[in-house]
């Protein structure tokens, strides 16, 4: 549930940020704007959330696979083979973990490009030269 929630939040923020960039770029790039810093904070937060959600989902998937591989508790004896019937393959679940970590990589690298737009990266403008006396 947390993994899907992070995915939905990231999608909605992506749509909102795209609308903001397209409609209000002049506000984003003006000199005293705090929008790039807020964008950096949200992007970094989403990268961390992708890390946490992907790690938690990978751990949960590992537990599910271990539980399905354990012997059934009501088997009559070890010589009789008991196996669960109708267990579906979990390859697509492993792919979802891989895509989660790929999203972490994308959001972290995207945060770098957002950082380059902030005043934290750009050097301060040089002071105006003093007018020379005539």
């Amino acid at each position: 549930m947390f993994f899907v929630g992070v995915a939905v939040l990231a999608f909605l923020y992506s749509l909102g940020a795209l609308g903001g960039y397209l409609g209000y770029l002049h506000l984003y790039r003006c000199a005293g704007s705090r929008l790039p810093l807020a964008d950096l904070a949200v992007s970094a937060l989403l990268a961390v959330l992708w890390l946490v959600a992907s790690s938690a989902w990978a751990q949960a998937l590992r537990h599910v696979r271990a539980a399905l591989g354990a012997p059934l508790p009501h088997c009559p004896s070890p010589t009789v083979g008991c196996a669960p019937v109708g267990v579906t393959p979990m390859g697509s679940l492993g792919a979802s973990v891989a895509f989660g970590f790929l999203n972490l990589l994308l959001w972290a690298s995207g945060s770098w490009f957002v950082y380059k737009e902030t005043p934290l990266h750009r050097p301060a403008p040089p002071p105006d030269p003093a007018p020379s006396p005539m």
Side-chain angles (χ1 to χ4, degrees), residues 14-74:
S14 296
L15 287 179
L18 179 63
Y21 293 151
L22 293 176
Y24 302 102
L25 188 60
H26 62 282
L27 293 177
Y28 191 83
R29 292 208 172 152
C30 73
S33 178
R34 296 270 185 209
L35 289 176
L37 289 174
D39 190 17
L40 176 64
V42 173
S43 295
L45 176 68
L46 280 170
V48 170
L49 284 175
W50 272 115
L51 173 65
V52 172
S54 298
S55 299
W57 178 231
Q59 183 69 19
L61 184 58
R62 191 175 137 251
H63 287 295
V64 167
R65 286 183 177 164
L68 288 176
L72 294 174
H74 300 294

Side-chain angles (χ1 to χ4, degrees), residues 73-130:
H74 300 294
C75 269
S77 69
T79 58
V80 177
C82 295
V85 178
V87 176
T88 60
M90 290 185 281
S92 61
L93 295 178
S96 69
V97 171
F99 281 118
F101 282 111
L102 179 64
N103 273 317
L104 160 68
L105 180 68
L106 290 174
W107 278 94
S109 61
S111 295
W112 169 253
F113 290 107
V114 173
Y115 167 72
K116 303 225 359 144
E117 292 289 325
T118 65
L120 301 173
H121 180 263
R122 282 186 247 143
D128 291 335

